[in-house]
Amino acid sequence: MRAAFVLLVITLGIAAQADACSWTSISPANVEKLLPERFASADTVVRGVVSSLKVTDSNEDAQIKVLRTFKGAGGLLRVSSHTLMCGYSFKLGEERIYFISNGRVSI
């Protein structure tokens, strides 16, 4: 019985982690609740364009030219994403809203 409970907790944890790694948890019904939470937990929130990109085996380091600052720093930001575990994959020239915490972009 205890083993079944542990397996259930592990399974739910993996499912929650996979859901946390994507925008699939955001819908028109809950966007008003989730976006303020993500905004509050980020150090910086900007609209910007990826102006340079360096890709390694496990990281992507990007320079983002900030077009508009919603929270935190502006100008030119250097950020990274750990591509092996829930990391964001940058594209050169891409314009998006970026949620940044401790120099890392999260989705």
Side-chain angles (χ1 to χ4, degrees):
M1 181 71 156
R2 181 176 168 93
F5 176 74
V6 170
L7 181 60
L8 175 64
V9 170
I10 290 170
T11 303
L12 290 175
I14 290 170
Q17 182 179 4
D19 191 43
C21 294
S22 71
W23 285 98
T24 59
S25 63
I26 295 180
S27 69
N30 67 10
V31 70
E32 289 183 20
K33 177 180 183 268
L34 293 179
L35 285 182
E37 291 173 6
R38 291 184 183 194
F39 186 89
S41 66
D43 301 325
T44 304
V45 181
V46 299
R47 180 173 64 99
V49 176
V50 176
S51 58
S52 70
L53 179 61
K54 179 183 175 189
V55 179
T56 65
D57 289 338
S58 61
N59 269 341
E60 290 186 2
D61 297 313
Q63 189 167 312
I64 296 176
K65 179 182 176 189
V66 175
L67 304 174
R68 180 167 180 199
T69 302
F70 300 101
K71 179 180 179 182
L76 203 55
L77 302 175
R78 294 182 191 272
V79 294
S80 63
S81 179
H82 192 3
T83 56
L84 294 179
M85 186 79 138
C86 295
Y88 180 80
S89 186
F90 297 103
K91 293 176 184 71
L92 194 59
E94 167 185 71
E95 181 179 327
R96 293 207 182 264
I97 303 292
Y98 296 97
F99 293 81
I100 304 165
S101 296
N102 298 320
R104 293 204 176 268
V105 170
S106 63
I107 56 174

